[in-house]
Amino acid sequence: MTTMTMNSMTGYGRSSFAHEELDVSVEASSVNKRHLETIVSLPREWQSLERDLLLLTRKSVARGRVHVTIKAQKAKSGASDSSWDEDCLRADLDRLRVFAEKENIPFHPDAALVTQLAAAQRTELSLPDSSAVDDSLQAATKEAVDAMNATRQEEGSRLANDLSSRTEKLAHFVEELDKASGGI
């Protein structure tokens, strides 16, 4: 029996890198589809890189629906997630106070307002210009797609072995039936 080489249509790969105070993750996944459909999901600030990442992915994959997802988040540091910059918080309160005075709105900050400002401060994430991460992002995307392709090959190898085993069993059954029927 000849050995079959085949790839599964499903696969998953992941890669990541650090840039300044960011952790950037790249995930590549694929599912069955007759033709190639590639989707790249990026943070809005890095949309200019989409075309290059699509082309890079398409060089490595011939079929399937491939989804590459790129996420950036603040790197975990020794500081607690509940920390905030007191100077920025004061500046935000001052800007609100000035605005309220200009608009003749009574301004009486309370704990709820301070909490909202602090929460907004923690969730703000400014991403660097796309050119600053382009090379690292391309390398991480290639690594994630290569890892996805490796899982597709592993699964394909298991499928090929299963099909080969089943084919051998069927050939054996046909042989047995032929013997039992006396060649009729």
Side-chain angles (χ1 to χ4, degrees), residues 78 106 108 110 132 134 144 184:
H108 306 288
D110 60 3
D134 187 14
I184 302 179

Side-chain angles (χ1 to χ4, degrees), residues 27-41:
E27 294 180 348
S29 60
S30 65
V31 294
N32 191 20
K33 184 159 177 100
R34 184 175 180 184
H35 302 288
L36 179 61
E37 177 183 329
T38 311
I39 301 163
V40 174
S41 300

Side-chain angles (χ1 to χ4, degrees), residues 33-69:
K33 184 159 177 100
R34 184 175 180 184
H35 302 288
L36 179 61
E37 177 183 329
T38 311
I39 301 163
V40 174
S41 300
L42 289 153
R44 182 180 41 81
E45 295 87 346
W46 297 344
Q47 287 294 312
S48 63
L49 302 175
E50 180 180 17
R51 184 176 183 277
D52 290 340
L53 296 174
L54 281 169
L55 292 172
L56 179 119
T57 303
R58 289 177 181 157
K59 285 179 185 176
S60 300
V61 183
R63 288 185 56 203
R65 176 176 289 142
V66 179
H67 194 162
V68 176
T69 304

